[in-house]
Amino acid sequence: MSPLTAEAVFVAPRTLPEVYTALEALGPAATLLSGGMSLMPMLNRGIGPRDAIVSLGRVDGLAEVTLRGGRLSIGATATHTAIARHPLVARSAGVLATAAGGIGDLQVRNRGTIGGAVAHGNAGADYLTVLSALEATVVIGGSAGERRAALGDFVLGLRSTDLRHGEVVTAVEVDGSAPDAAAFLRYHRVQGAAPTITAAAVIRDDRTVLAIGGATPTPTVVRVSSVEQALAAVDAACAANPLGDAHNPPDYRRAMAAVHTRRVLEEAAA
Amino acid sequence: MYIGERVEGRNNRLVVAGAGTYVDDVRPEGCLVLAILRSPHPHARIRRIDVTAAEGRDDVELVLTGESLLAAGIAIPPSGSYANFTPRMTVKHPLAVGKVRYVGEPVAAVVAHDLVGARAALDALMVDYEVLPSVGNALLALEPGAPRVEDEWPDNVMVEYPFEKGDPAAVLGATEPSRIRRGTLVCNRIASTPLEGRGLVADYDPHRRYLTCWASTQSPHILRTLLAGALDLPDSSIRVIQPNVGGAFGGKIPMFPEDIVTAHAAIVLKRPVKWIEQRHEYLPAGGHSRDVRCDYEVAFAADGRITALTTELIADIGAQSTFLGWLMAIVSAGCIPGSYKVDDVRVRLRCVVSNRGPWQAYRGYGKEVSAFFLERILDEVADAVGRPRDEVRERNFLTPDVFPYEQPSGWITDSGDYSGTLAKVKDLIGWEGFAARKAAARAGGRRLGIGIGHELTPEGSSRPDSLLSGTDSATVKMSPHGDVTVLTGVTSPGTGNETGIAQIVADCLGASLDRVRVVQGDTELCPHGNGNYSSRSLTFGGSSAHLAALVVHDKIRRVGASMLDVAPGEVRLDGHRVIAPSGAEVGFGAVAATIYRSPHARHMEGVEPGLEVTRTFKMDNVHHQPEKDGRYNQYPTWSFSTAACIVEVDEETGVVRIEKFALVHDSGMVVNPLLAEAQLHGAITQGIGASLYEEIRYDDAGLPQNLTLREYTLPGMRESVDIVLGHQSTPSPFTMMGMKGVGESGISAPAPAIASAIEDALSDLGVRLTEVPFTPARVWAAIQEAR
């Protein structure tokens, strides 16, 4: 069923400049639609503006995965399934493919996109956590040109990002050389449910970056010097910015953040 | 013989092929779409509803509010009387009048040309609410001076149902304190969550004054009668057709407010109108179950024998609208102490209304609540006396020689052999020798535990002075070509009872199974029946079909014998033939042809023409006349099961994984083991869901916390468990062929079995689980508390 009102505007441009033009013409009420796996259920429940939808689904070339100049670039509309199966992702950032392959269920993975997930900025989202550990850069396009932001700077809070009106997340970039070791853990209740905790660790040379999602409004990212130091840092972050709901309250998420800190570091080091 | 055979369900291929017709597939020409505006508030007065903008839309045909329905004379007065208690009742309104009492309560309805238009019209409705103080749960609702859910009531208690046997207070008073345990147990709220939501398509013919409804319902005849009452139409002016149903589990026992609103809209507009429930409507407003708290006191002897038990039950039944789900709490109370012999017992139940959503029937129908409480208490007593948990159950079980046994509630249990299922399930799970496995696993850093849980499942509910009283007729008819059609008043929510009924009729007639067709779910085709609930499709519907088939059998026998020129007593009917001792035979087709084509000829002398018979089975051990015989019993058959499981607990996260799950069930004589097992697989999986995954939560104000299936974490294939099943048959002495119901068996035992196993895995920590479901957060918290 369609969530749209009878008077709703739906546009599906073929190029990014046309997307920017449409966003400008429709004003702040415009809603960007990518795979729709988070957006459509919200619109169905009457959450958020739904009078003007701009779809990215038909923009040519926006789903491309490339390796150029030592950077792996993943186009915004690449689906989770495509990312999970892409040989370039497997070679350069296998942990990202692992994370993509565990999202939701097959139907969601076939439609959901990485750009959509990053722009949605939900706490605990698989991509936010793994991309944080991979120290990813978000590529943001707009009529004024392109800008880049570190993921940690882009995601401001729970479902809140630095995406400004008229802008579109066009790609995500990570280091194109495979890390020495990496691990990703997803702790969720049932198949298809959002994760309670996601954890990623990426080891490159002597540097270990840990990211824990789901216990704080945005991923907690730690440059790891020891397991104890990582545990303390994660715990301090959970205490400072707790996150939780009736089903998984903050104290439980905080404890699980610690458990998964240890487990993901062990797995990455194994 | 077909009875006892593992005949494949007749609907299986249709369902798997996606070839079923469900209510949303019913699309009459020009069908309009109805959508419901629901309350966003747990408790609020409706000051005013401004419908101007919605009505002004070109594509909107009708806007309905509580006031407009009231003006049309639609309101549901209280009806029905109950044997042992008197509930406070209210007049029920399909759309809220005056105030709303839960989030999701229907407030207004719009009918538009399509769903897009209907949703836009909902947006255009302006409701001015005055938000009232609310009570988000039963304990808050019981506080002195609490806001009242029903303005006319003095407090929030809808039903008070106490009963007592012996003198538990005296026994408790005389028992030394070390042999007494007190505590609180909680069954949290869940929802049946069928794949297909509720829905109804209504089409009114003004010329014939005839309303046709296609409904995703369990009971077409009941829905027809209730709709006729609500809409002030003759029963005969309404036809209810049940298309394929995509799961029901009790959740589609009629009638719902939306049914009335949709049918009324179709009559007003004289056009077909469709309402299809959305998932976000279902979760807060489609009806919940459980949500019962139990404060108990138990006294016991040194060997674990329970000498006295008192339970104070508080059922949070939410805000009752047109739903009858609250009766589940009565069953929870009535099944204490169930399978156990306790001579001094007191039960006091209070059904408390709150600003949560209303209850609606769900598989288990309250028996799962009493099973959880009783089994947890048995485990606690076993631990207190330091005896094995299985031994303490043996010590307390009713023994096979006591039946029929009158429960303290007055209900009469037909038969049982509870030690039998316990012994068998211990074999299946590997009870002996588990201690060594557990120790070895522990040495390797893993925590395994084993547990058992027993359930008692009274079935065939026949409530006095209600439409669900146990009247399920069946018609068996044979055509001139000898083909058999069974029309039955019981329906199938997709479970395959039509296959079982066909097996019963084929055996009774001596017919070929492939020439017996079963037709269900249409009030104009099928004789009156209660539809599908309380696992009674075969015990009632199958027995009625059997009675009707006997009459057809007799006529075929007499006419066939005449055609073979032998005495009727000499022939037998088998393989769709009448067979003489000599081996001479005549096919049913030829006999039926004779009956239809030559009713006045030689073979039909003294035989009434026709081959269509309707019969209605009456259950002998349902008793509704306590004033006459001192007995009251609404449950004729009492199935039971014992479950055992092995779990692994991750003590860091509280995550529980079921390694092995076994259940031995006893539902008397089984007509089709394959279908019975399918029922058990489904029920056990739902029982596991309610033990580990599912929970409907509210905050203290009554705001629901599960708006989508992302929060109501329903188990899927990844969470499914390999289930090992065993059978035992203790026939009912009261039913045809000793059948008992099986549709609910297996949903109650998982929670106590899993609780028991989790505690065993953590036995060195002394963890106690008192609240189901055992979510990781709850298990983790219990571990922290024990440390």
Side-chain angles (χ1 to χ4, degrees):
Chain A
M1 66 153 257
S2 163
L4 304 179
T5 56
E7 301 81 2
V9 174
F10 180 87
V11 288
R14 304 297 296 256
T15 68
L16 280 173
E18 287 168 38
V19 171
Y20 305 141
T21 305
L23 289 174
E24 209 155 296
L26 292 167
T31 299
L32 267 173
L33 170 70
S34 186
M37 295 297 92
S38 296
L39 181 66
M40 292 302 290
M42 289 167 72
L43 294 185
N44 272 331
R45 288 162 55 200
I47 299 169
R50 51 189 166 134
D51 294 332
I53 307 287
V54 179
S55 169
L56 297 175
R58 288 180 206 162
V59 174
D60 291 327
L62 202 57
E64 273 178 20
V65 178
T66 58
L67 183 59
R68 252 184 239 124
R71 300 290 283 172
L72 177 72
S73 171
I74 300 162
T77 56
T79 64
H80 313 329
T81 296
I83 292 167
R85 292 179 183 169
H86 203 286
L88 281 180
V89 179
R91 203 162 64 212
S92 298
V95 69
L96 177 60
T98 303
I103 296 171
D105 49 38
L106 187 62
Q107 288 90 336
V108 165
R109 291 196 292 275
N110 283 343
R111 287 205 64 92
T113 68
I114 190 167
V118 167
H120 189 45
N122 206 6
D126 305 69
Y127 282 133
L128 294 194
T129 302
V130 72
L131 290 171
S132 294
L134 286 165
E135 299 179 288
T137 302
V138 183
V139 183
I140 303 140
S143 52
E146 196 172 79
R147 67 184 176 102
R148 282 173 158 69
L151 182 72
D153 296 331
F154 178 73
V155 181
L156 302 175
L158 182 61
R159 289 190 286 278
S160 157
T161 68
D162 185 33
L163 193 68
R164 298 159 200 161
H165 173 64
E167 289 187 333
V168 175
V169 171
T170 57
V172 174
E173 291 178 354
V174 297
D175 193 330
S177 60
D180 301 329
F184 178 78
L185 296 177
R186 173 182 227 267
Y187 169 38
H188 60 294
R189 295 301 319 283
V190 297
Q191 181 180 331
T196 308
I197 294 287
T198 45
V202 174
I203 304 173
R204 210 183 284 278
D205 302 326
D206 286 329
R207 224 163 69 93
T208 300
V209 181
L210 165 82
I212 299 288
T216 46
T218 62
T220 295
V221 185
V222 179
R223 184 80 58 81
V224 180
S225 56
S226 71
V227 174
E228 289 66 36
Q229 168 263 345
L231 283 168
V234 167
D235 198 59
C238 294
N241 282 303
L243 180 78
D245 55 23
H247 316 285
N248 293 290
D251 65 332
Y252 180 66
R253 287 180 189 259
R254 182 177 172 181
M256 292 310 101
V259 169
H260 287 84
T261 293
R262 199 157 21 71
R263 287 183 181 182
V264 80
L265 290 174
E266 275 169 19
E267 192 170 320
Chain B
M1 286 290 283
Y2 298 106
I3 291 174
E5 291 295 311
R6 304 174 68 87
V7 178
E8 182 188 311
R10 295 182 158 202
N11 253 338
N12 292 3
R13 282 158 199 274
L14 173 110
V15 170
V16 173
T21 301
Y22 297 86
V23 66
D24 198 21
D25 299 324
V26 176
R27 288 161 191 175
E29 179 96 29
C31 191
L32 301 167
V33 171
L34 182 141
I36 303 273
L37 185 75
R38 294 173 184 277
S39 167
H41 302 295
H43 197 193
R45 207 159 296 290
I46 301 171
R47 286 207 195 97
R48 184 166 170 272
I49 303 178
D50 185 349
V51 300
T52 323
E55 280 183 339
R57 294 179 58 91
D58 288 345
D59 58 350
V60 169
E61 297 287 341
L62 184 67
V63 177
L64 295 169
T65 65
E67 296 297 338
S68 61
L69 290 188
L70 208 53
I74 296 174
I76 317 295
S79 78
S81 58
Y82 303 90
N84 302 320
F85 54 89
T86 305
R88 287 202 187 109
M89 305 288 258
T90 54
V91 176
K92 290 163 178 173
H93 302 286
L95 297 172
V97 171
K99 71 173 194 175
V100 290
R101 295 161 303 162
Y102 64 95
V103 171
E105 181 167 1
V107 171
V110 297
V111 181
H113 294 169
D114 57 25
L115 190 56
V116 171
R119 297 286 291 253
L122 290 187
D123 284 349
L125 285 171
M126 298 296 163
V127 186
D128 182 9
Y129 290 106
E130 176 195 347
V131 175
L132 299 172
S134 54
V135 281
N137 61 57
L139 293 184
L140 293 172
L142 282 173
E143 281 179 3
R148 277 169 297 141
V149 177
E150 301 295 342
D151 292 342
E152 311 80 49
W153 296 3
D155 55 36
N156 289 313
V157 179
M158 177 172 169
V159 177
E160 179 134 4
Y161 172 38
F163 59 85
E164 192 168 74
K165 177 187 178 187
D167 192 348
V171 176
L172 279 158
T175 304
E176 63 166 282
S178 69
R179 297 261 165 78
I180 291 175
R181 290 290 182 276
R182 295 179 185 87
T184 300
L185 296 161
V186 176
C187 257
N188 283 301
R189 187 174 271 245
I190 57 171
S192 59
T193 328
L195 267 182
E196 182 205 30
R198 298 174 294 151
L200 185 123
V201 176
D203 189 5
Y204 186 66
D205 178 341
H207 305 292
R208 293 193 300 147
R209 292 189 203 156
Y210 192 73
L211 177 72
T212 304
C213 295
W214 293 263
S216 186
T217 183
Q218 289 175 236
S219 311
H221 279 95
I222 310 299
L223 179 55
R224 180 185 70 165
T225 308
L226 293 174
L227 271 178
L231 301 171
D232 196 21
L233 290 173
D235 290 354
S236 57
S237 292
I238 302 178
R239 176 183 191 180
V240 176
I241 299 169
Q242 176 208 49
N244 287 109
V245 171
F249 313 112
K252 292 175 182 173
I253 295 176
M255 171 178 63
F256 295 105
E258 295 88 347
D259 299 336
I260 304 170
V261 175
T262 306
H264 173 68
I267 293 169
V268 170
L269 294 168
K270 303 178 177 62
R271 286 182 63 178
V273 177
K274 171 185 282 192
W275 171 70
I276 299 294
E277 180 180 55
Q278 307 292 312
R279 189 64 66 183
H280 63 264
E281 296 182 279
Y282 171 76
L283 282 170
H288 306 143
S289 79
R290 308 196 186 181
D291 210 349
V292 185
R293 173 193 171 92
C294 170
D295 293 300
Y296 64 91
E297 201 169 4
V298 60
F300 44 91
D303 62 357
R305 190 173 50 84
I306 293 175
T307 52
L309 174 67
T310 69
T311 58
E312 289 268 336
L313 306 179
I314 296 172
D316 187 335
I317 58 175
Q320 291 306 312
S321 55
T322 53
F323 297 37
L324 273 173
W326 60 270
L327 280 163
M328 287 187 284
I330 303 299
V331 179
S332 297
C335 286
I336 296 175
S339 303
Y340 301 103
K341 185 176 189 320
V342 185
D343 289 329
D344 294 278
V345 56
R346 188 181 69 233
V347 177
R348 178 180 174 229
L349 164 71
R350 279 176 292 168
C351 294
V352 180
V353 293
S354 73
N355 293 116
R356 295 185 169 201
W359 282 16
Q360 167 67 15
Y362 179 24
R363 197 178 204 166
Y365 206 78
K367 300 149 217 171
E368 74 292 343
V369 169
S370 38
F372 178 69
F373 294 158
L374 288 166
E375 295 301 299
R376 292 279 63 209
I377 291 169
L378 264 287
D379 278 355
E380 187 177 9
V381 169
D383 295 352
V385 297
R387 300 304 308 164
R389 291 174 166 187
D390 56 324
E391 179 190 305
V392 167
R393 281 174 176 78
E394 291 277 12
R395 188 91 59 214
N396 286 285
F397 274 147
L398 295 168
T399 49
D401 54 303
V402 304
F403 299 100
Y405 176 81
E406 188 173 317
Q407 296 278 343
S409 61
W411 296 346
I412 300 163
T413 306
D414 56 344
S415 66
D417 175 6
Y418 308 138
S419 295
T421 50
L422 173 59
K424 288 181 182 68
V425 85
K426 279 163 59 183
D427 281 347
L428 286 183
I429 201 74
W431 186 265
E432 306 302 334
F434 177 76
R437 258 203 81 198
K438 178 181 169 181
R442 188 80 191 95
R446 297 171 59 207
R447 286 187 171 275
L448 297 186
I450 196 165
I452 44 172
H454 179 83
E455 67 173 43
L456 185 61
T457 317
E459 298 291 20
S461 175
S462 309
R463 205 155 47 73
D465 190 22
S466 81
L467 290 167
L468 303 178
S469 59
T471 310
D472 295 277
S473 304
T475 300
V476 173
K477 53 187 189 180
M478 190 179 283
S479 75
H481 279 145
D483 295 303
V484 181
T485 299
V486 184
L487 303 162
T488 169
V490 296
T491 60
S492 170
T495 52
N497 63 45
E498 68 282 355
T499 308
I501 291 170
Q503 287 172 264
I504 291 172
V505 169
D507 272 358
C508 179
L509 285 177
S512 295
L513 187 61
D514 60 3
R515 295 189 66 179
V516 180
R517 179 178 290 274
V518 177
V519 176
Q520 300 175 295
D522 186 333
T523 54
E524 294 294 39
L525 294 179
C526 300
H528 194 278
N530 296 175
N532 166 248
Y533 74 97
S534 200
S535 310
R536 39 192 298 296
S537 299
L538 293 193
T539 52
F540 282 80
S543 300
S544 293
H546 180 85
L547 291 178
L550 280 176
V551 181
V552 174
H553 175 277
D554 186 57
K555 196 175 283 187
I556 297 286
R557 184 172 57 84
R558 286 167 64 189
V559 176
S562 172
M563 291 168 75
L564 291 167
D565 208 16
V566 295
E570 291 183 89
V571 298
R572 63 189 175 89
L573 276 58
D574 190 29
H576 232 75
R577 296 160 302 167
V578 182
I579 305 166
S582 67
E585 60 179 55
V586 57
F588 281 8
V591 178
T594 298
I595 292 171
Y596 280 100
R597 298 166 75 101
S598 310
H600 306 289
R602 177 165 72 89
H603 299 309
M604 288 289 286
E605 273 177 31
V607 179
E608 182 190 349
L611 269 176
E612 303 191 349
V613 178
T614 300
R615 285 289 181 275
T616 310
F617 178 75
K618 185 169 185 176
M619 198 64 87
D620 271 346
N621 64 332
V622 171
H623 303 288
H624 284 175
Q625 303 179 71
E627 70 285 356
K628 184 178 153 205
D629 53 18
R631 286 186 295 186
Y632 172 76
N633 185 33
Q634 74 177 60
Y635 281 114
T637 79
W638 297 64
S639 300
F640 53 96
S641 304
T642 311
C645 66
I646 296 171
V647 304
E648 177 167 3
V649 181
D650 180 338
E651 67 181 299
E652 287 187 333
T653 60
V655 169
V656 175
R657 187 181 63 85
I658 297 175
E659 185 194 82
K660 186 174 180 185
F661 195 99
L663 181 132
V664 176
H665 83 106
D666 189 328
S667 54
M669 198 282 295
V670 174
V671 172
N672 184 325
L674 186 66
L675 293 175
E677 285 168 18
Q679 288 286 307
L680 290 164
H681 276 271
I684 291 166
T685 301
Q686 288 183 314
I688 291 171
S691 304
L692 296 176
Y693 303 106
E694 302 174 38
E695 185 171 355
I696 294 280
R697 288 187 171 89
Y698 282 87
D699 70 6
D700 283 351
L703 284 169
Q705 307 293 303
N706 314 64
L707 297 170
T708 75
L709 291 179
R710 285 168 72 86
E711 299 91 29
Y712 191 73
T713 42
L714 208 57
M717 282 312 292
R718 193 194 73 150
E719 293 73 36
S720 71
V721 171
D722 261 338
I723 294 162
V724 184
L725 291 176
H727 303 273
Q728 171 178 294
S729 179
T730 308
S732 168
F734 302 103
T735 62
M736 188 169 282
M737 299 180 286
M739 291 188 283
K740 297 185 180 185
V742 74
E744 297 181 280
S745 290
I747 202 166
S748 307
I754 292 167
S756 196
I758 296 170
E759 287 185 358
D760 183 47
L762 302 167
S763 53
D764 55 317
L765 301 175
V767 167
R768 292 213 70 80
L769 296 176
T770 57
E771 197 169 334
V772 63
F774 323 114
T775 57
R778 206 167 263 137
V779 173
W780 175 83
I783 293 170
Q784 306 314 308
E785 199 178 311
R787 278 198 163 127

